[in-house]
Amino acid sequence: MTERAHLAVVGAGPAGLAGALAAAARGVRVTLIDAAGQAGGQFYRQPAPALNARRPETLHHQWRTWQRLSDGLARHIAAGRITHLTDHHVWCVRRESDSFTVHALLGPAQEEGGTVRADAVLLATGGYERVLPFPGWTLPGVVTAGGAQAMLKGGLVLPGRRVVVAGTGPLLLPVATGLAAAGAEVAALVESASPTALLRRTPDLAPQPGKLAEGAWYAGQLLRHRVRTLTRHTVVEAHGTDRLTAVTVAALDRTGRIRPGSSRRIPCDTLAVGHGMLPHTDLAETLGCTLNGTDVQVDEEQRTDVPGVWAAGESTGIGGAALALAEGHIAGRSAAARLHGIAPDPRAWATADRARTRLRAFFAALDTVYAPPAGWAERIPDDTVVCRCEEVTAGEVRTAARTLGAADLRTAKLLTRAGMGWCQGRMCAPAVADLTGCPLTPGRRPFARPVPLGVLASLPDDETPSQPTQQ
């Protein structure tokens, strides 16, 4: 199967949808490629049609925005301006002389390959959760905060009956309130950040009153559902034999370290934990796009430094759905103008640009508040598993750094096998970086996900991806 499009948009979350709609409205044929069975991404995740959800809007607080995006997508698909490819898991984007080839695995089994050829590409690949290991985090019943939210939104199921939501970051609020509203008993919301740190950033947060009102609404929902909130606390250990039965939490001092004698045990059957988000940059890395730290570097038009490649949303910096929508809109307009051979007029996206500027400043301020607790890597025992795929412990990682001289993630990986498993370090790399003191650097993998040998063997010789070179 081969599709031809002017613009291939990878990812059908807020950024990808906004970009696809903006480009299609300006005469560009678009192929929207997404791994999910329905558009929306994680933020606008919809229940499976077979569930016949009667009121899916109760799972979202920006339902009107989603309806506008969904209706626009349906209109452009009906008009033939957008082709929406669902269940397409993109594993590589290959740049050729004057075009791009997008390689994907098809369907739930991901055993068959497909390609899309396009004149330009918009990467709207989103982000993934950062989870810091602690004793017991591999027990059944311990899930990521986003995973718990996905179960609720996509499957209409609760991850458990008595839940503790823990970690740090704004995502914990909708997860805790959503679970409580759906009938779970949320035993505690455990947030490592301090309320005073948030108050100190009030001047930087004040220009976004809508976001502050949203936070206040969540606080009201927590009170309504009688959810105990423990700020400046962290999970120390998860307990259980065959599955989770309780968690121990403790208070943090002003330096972010455990306060002696502050531990308390909370019975629960589920722990939803997360410590913020990291950008998905695998496809950008295979194309040779420059990264700014962990984010894809883009200009004012959301263009990367690889000609013909745009990026928008969480891949360019974690900032939520509203920022992703603004960036996607700008990227779609820019791509449409460039593909038509004209210079884009910045005035055309002035509103989106103002929103982008304000929201970037807002989330930059939040980043300073919602940081993982200081010294977390020092206090986890040596026998704590860090890399779940290869069952590498914290002690093995520490030995690689302190005794064997591992000074970067690649060397730590070669010495311990941490990051050589199915996820290729996406889950454990941040923890390994903190344990070794190494910077969290991109892996520059040729493939964004495991690919069956049969799919690779079926590719023509001139389409076989190779390790990228820096542009």
Side-chain angles (χ1 to χ4, degrees):
M1 181 203 70
T2 301
E3 296 282 344
R4 176 70 179 176
H6 284 299
L7 177 66
V9 179
V10 182
L17 286 171
L21 296 182
R26 285 151 189 84
V28 173
R29 291 200 314 273
V30 176
T31 296
L32 179 62
I33 311 166
D34 193 54
Q38 301 178 84
Q42 171 70 357
F43 189 80
Y44 294 119
R45 184 184 291 271
Q46 302 299 303
L51 295 175
N52 296 316
R54 288 179 294 179
R55 297 181 59 202
E57 65 274 12
T58 60
L59 302 173
H60 300 271
H61 65 281
Q62 293 185 9
W63 185 253
R64 290 184 180 179
T65 302
W66 161 247
Q67 285 186 312
R68 176 176 58 81
L69 293 169
S70 180
D71 292 346
L73 177 63
R75 286 195 302 271
H76 284 300
I77 290 174
R81 289 184 288 267
I82 294 180
T83 300
H84 183 200
L85 302 180
T86 60
D87 290 317
H88 276 57
H89 308 261
V90 177
W91 56 271
C92 181
V93 179
R94 184 170 181 265
R95 183 188 178 198
E96 299 168 5
S97 57
D98 59 350
S99 64
F100 295 86
T101 301
V102 181
H103 294 279
L105 300 174
L106 312 184
Q110 301 182 41
E111 294 179 354
E112 179 185 352
T115 60
V116 172
R117 301 188 189 278
D119 300 312
V121 174
L122 167 56
L123 301 176
T125 48
Y128 62 99
E129 282 185 275
R130 174 175 182 162
V131 180
L132 304 180
F134 50 85
W137 77 296
T138 58
L139 280 170
V142 180
V143 299
T144 65
Q149 188 181 55
M151 292 173 67
L152 181 60
K153 287 184 175 182
L156 303 181
V157 296
L158 294 171
R161 299 306 306 174
R162 182 175 170 85
V163 186
V164 171
V165 180
T168 189
L171 177 61
L172 301 187
L173 292 173
V175 171
T177 56
L179 292 174
E185 178 188 356
V186 180
L189 171 60
V190 182
E191 168 61 69
S192 64
S194 167
T196 56
L198 198 61
L199 290 174
R200 284 196 295 268
R201 301 310 303 262
T202 299
D204 301 310
L205 303 177
Q208 287 293 312
K211 286 292 182 183
L212 296 179
E214 185 179 321
W217 182 85
Y218 281 127
Q221 292 298 301
L222 293 175
L223 288 173
R224 175 189 171 193
H225 292 289
R226 300 180 180 179
V227 176
R228 177 173 46 171
T229 302
L230 302 175
T231 58
R232 202 184 284 172
H233 277 67
T234 190
V235 171
V236 176
E237 185 175 358
H239 306 281
T241 304
D242 298 325
R243 64 165 293 110
L244 181 72
T245 58
V247 297
T248 293
V249 303
L252 301 170
D253 63 21
R254 294 193 177 188
T255 68
R257 287 171 170 76
I258 298 291
R259 277 174 38 199
S262 66
S263 296
R264 67 178 77 181
R265 190 175 176 122
I266 304 175
C268 61
D269 59 24
T270 304
L271 170 63
V273 61
H275 295 85
M277 302 281 291
L278 290 169
H280 258 308
T281 60
D282 292 345
L283 296 177
E285 291 167 30
T286 65
L287 283 163
C289 300
T290 298
L291 301 188
N292 181 15
T294 59
D295 308 335
V296 180
Q297 182 174 297
V298 293
D299 65 8
E300 68 279 358
E301 295 181 35
Q302 298 294 139
R303 293 182 298 174
T304 72
D305 57 348
V306 176
V309 179
W310 282 256
E314 310 286 43
S315 62
T316 66
I318 304 302
L323 177 57
L325 288 170
E327 291 184 353
H329 183 78
I330 292 170
R333 279 180 171 265
S334 171
R338 299 291 179 180
L339 287 170
H340 288 320
I342 60 176
D345 183 358
R347 291 174 297 181
W349 62 64
T351 300
D353 182 45
R354 287 193 294 271
R356 177 177 62 178
T357 300
R358 291 194 300 266
L359 287 165
R360 282 180 175 174
F362 179 85
F363 281 98
L366 281 189
D367 281 346
T368 65
V369 175
Y370 293 112
W376 75 266
E378 302 169 5
R379 61 175 176 262
I380 62 172
D382 280 346
D383 60 356
T384 303
V385 171
V386 172
C387 173
R388 300 178 66 163
C389 298
E390 295 294 317
E391 298 184 349
V392 180
T393 65
E396 293 173 283
V397 174
R398 288 179 175 129
T399 298
R402 298 171 183 174
T403 305
L404 303 179
D408 57 76
L409 284 180
R410 178 174 174 79
T411 303
K413 178 179 180 178
L414 293 172
L415 291 172
T416 66
R417 295 190 60 82
M420 288 190 181
W422 185 262
C423 83
Q424 287 293 287
R426 291 169 184 83
M427 292 297 293
C428 67
V432 173
D434 285 346
L435 283 166
T436 59
C438 302
L440 183 59
T441 53
R444 297 189 62 79
R445 307 174 186 91
F447 302 160
R449 62 177 61 244
V451 183
L453 289 176
V455 172
L456 293 176
S458 68
L459 294 176
D461 290 342
D462 61 348
E463 288 189 12
T464 302
S466 57
Q467 184 70 19
T469 56
Q470 186 67 38
Q471 299 294 316

